[in-house]
Amino acid sequence: MSVVSTSPTEPAVLQPAPVKRLLSLDTLRGFDMFWIMGGEDIFGVLAKTTGWAWAILIADQFKHPEWNGFRAYDLIFPLFVFMAGVSTPFSIGSKLDKGDDKAQIARKIITRGLILVLLGIIYNNGLFVKAIQDTRFPSVLGRIGLAGMFAQLIYLYAQPRTRYIWFLGILLGYWAAMMLIPVPGCGAGVLTMECNLASYIDRILVPGHLYKTIHDPEGLFSTIPAIDNALLGIFAGSFLKAHGKTGNQKAIQLVAAGAVFILLGVLWNFIFPINKNLWTSSFVMVTGGLSLSLLGLFYWIIDVKGIKGWTFFFTIIGMNSILIYLAGEFIEFEYATHFFFGGLIKLISSGWVAAVLGVLGYLAVKWVFLYFLYKKKTFLRV
C-alpha cells in the first residue's frame, strides 16, 4: 500500500482507479461512494425532521433489509466490486498486450488483494492489536480484495470462453451448495441466519468473532459468489474496450443485458431468495444487472454524448474512494464541520434546514479534503 503522487488518469490493478478512456467509470465510482460518505443522511434527516412521505420513502431505501429482500442501499457494495472488475481489461489487459510476465502480474494481484484484506481488518479493529477472539477479520475491503483478486486471476489465466464457465460455475455451484449441503442440526436448504451453510462454515473457519456472533455479512464463504460481480465487471470492461460497435450500441446493449440479469434474478428469487447477507446467486444477478445498466447509462451520457460538466464533483470522490472510506475512521470530519459551519447552523437554530445544512457541511468538508489531495495529485494506490 502506498500514497503516491501520480497522474489522476493512471489506472491501477485492484484499487478501483480511474481509467483514462472511461470517465464514466470514475464518475460512477464517485457517485457510488458519495452515498457511503454521508449522502444517504440527507434523506434520513429530512425524514426525521419533516415527516414528509417522499423523504421517508427514499430514506427507507437507504436501510438494509433485516434478511431477505432488496433495497437501493444494497447495491452500493456490489457495484463497487463490479467496478473493480470493469477497470481490469484496461489495466491488466494493457500489461498483457505489452507482453508483461503473467507470474509477475499475478503476484501483484495477490499482494494487492491481501493488502485490502489487511486494511479491512484495520478498519474494523483499529491500529492497535487486539486479542484474536476480539478481532473481526471479515470486512467490506476484504471482500473487495478477495473477490477482485480471484476474478482478476481468472481473467489472467483463463480464456474468454472459460471465464464464462467460471461465472456460471460459481453462480450455480453456490446455489447448489447452499440448498443441498446439510447443516448439522438444521438440514439442507435452510436459509435462516442460524442455519444456513455460509454462516455455519464461517463459524468453523473464520477466527476471531463474527459481526452478528453467529453470522457475518462479509463472511468467507459468501465471498465466493461476489467473485461473479467482479467477473461481470470484467465482461463489461472487455465489451467496452473491444472495437466493432458504436458507443450508442454498447450503451444500449449494456442496459439491455442489465435488464435481462435483473429479470432472471427476480425470477430466481422465488426459489433462492435475494439476500445481501448471504450474497445469494439471485442477489448477484439483480445487483449485477443494475450495475450493468448504471454503467451503460453513465457511459452513454458521459463518454458517448459528451455531457461531462457535472462529472467533476463525483470524479474527485472516485479517484480516492478507498482513502475516503478509510479516512472516516481516523479523521474527525465532524469537528471540522462544526468549526466551519457550526455558527451558521446555530444561527438557523433548528428544523430541517439546519439538519440538512449539517449534512451538506459534513459532505463539503470531506469533498474539499479530497479536492486538496487531487490538486496535490496524491492518490491511495493499493
Side-chain angles (χ1 to χ4, degrees), residues 30-207:
F31 175 78
D32 192 33
M33 194 66 204
F34 170 78
W35 304 107
I36 303 176
M37 61 185 272
E40 80 280 8
D41 290 332
I42 296 172
F43 300 104
V45 298
L46 276 174
K48 185 177 180 179
T49 57
T50 67
W52 295 337
W54 66 268
I56 294 173
L57 181 65
I58 296 177
D60 190 58
Q61 285 298 310
F62 287 98
K63 300 176 183 177
H64 295 300
E66 287 294 325
W67 193 244
N68 292 332
F70 181 84
R71 291 177 185 159
Y73 205 43
D74 295 335
L75 179 61
I76 292 175
F77 187 4
L79 178 58
F80 206 87
V81 177
F82 170 85
M83 287 186 287
V86 176
S87 64
T88 298
F90 296 91
S91 54
I92 296 178
S94 65
K95 294 178 184 294
L96 293 174
D97 293 341
K98 291 186 296 184
D100 287 7
D101 180 58
K102 283 189 176 182
Q104 184 178 0
I105 297 173
R107 284 193 294 270
K108 291 181 179 179
I109 290 172
I110 294 170
T111 299
R112 286 165 176 159
L114 296 179
I115 287 175
L116 280 174
V117 172
L118 177 61
L119 288 176
I121 295 171
I122 293 172
Y123 180 86
N124 285 344
N125 306 282
L127 291 171
F128 300 103
V129 177
K130 293 184 176 181
I132 191 169
Q133 66 268 19
D134 298 324
T135 301
R136 182 186 173 216
F137 288 90
S139 68
V140 169
L141 290 179
R143 175 159 293 181
I144 293 171
L146 292 175
M149 180 183 76
F150 284 111
Q152 288 178 338
L153 289 173
I154 291 170
Y155 173 82
L156 183 64
Y157 287 108
Q159 295 300 313
R161 182 176 297 180
T162 308
R163 295 169 197 162
Y164 292 108
I165 294 173
W166 270 104
F167 180 84
L168 288 173
I170 291 171
L171 202 68
L172 298 175
Y174 186 70
W175 175 37
M178 293 292 286
M179 300 303 294
L180 299 178
I181 298 177
V183 173
C186 298
V190 181
L191 299 178
T192 62
M193 185 182 296
E194 298 81 7
C195 282
N196 72 84
L197 178 67
S199 298
Y200 174 71
I201 290 177
D202 288 343
R203 290 195 294 269
I204 295 174
L205 297 182
V206 177

Side-chain angles (χ1 to χ4, degrees), residues 234-257:
I234 288 174
F235 300 154
S238 298
F239 176 70
L240 290 175
K241 186 182 178 185
H243 300 289
K245 295 182 184 294
T246 67
N248 279 320
Q249 289 173 328
K250 289 179 178 180
I252 290 170
Q253 290 182 31
L254 281 174
V255 173

Side-chain angles (χ1 to χ4, degrees), residues 195-227:
C195 282
N196 72 84
L197 178 67
S199 298
Y200 174 71
I201 290 177
D202 288 343
R203 290 195 294 269
I204 295 174
L205 297 182
V206 177
H209 75 89
L210 304 180
Y211 183 66
K212 296 184 178 180
T213 306
I214 61 171
H215 166 77
D216 199 300
E218 282 78 54
L220 184 63
F221 191 71
S222 58
T223 294
I224 294 173
I227 297 170

Side-chain angles (χ1 to χ4, degrees), residues 308-326:
K308 302 176 180 179
W310 59 281
T311 63
F312 184 70
F313 175 83
F314 291 113
T315 56
I316 291 298
I317 302 171
M319 287 179 179
N320 255 326
S321 51
I322 289 182
L323 187 146
I324 194 60
Y325 179 79
L326 290 168

Side-chain angles (χ1 to χ4, degrees), residues 304-352:
V304 178
K305 305 304 291 183
I307 304 173
K308 302 176 180 179
W310 59 281
T311 63
F312 184 70
F313 175 83
F314 291 113
T315 56
I316 291 298
I317 302 171
M319 287 179 179
N320 255 326
S321 51
I322 289 182
L323 187 146
I324 194 60
Y325 179 79
L326 290 168
E329 290 296 303
F330 303 102
I331 299 177
E332 287 289 343
F333 290 108
E334 294 87 352
Y335 178 83
T337 303
H338 179 75
F339 179 82
F340 288 108
F341 298 98
L344 181 58
I345 294 172
K346 285 183 179 179
L347 184 64
I348 296 174
S349 181
S350 62
W352 69 268

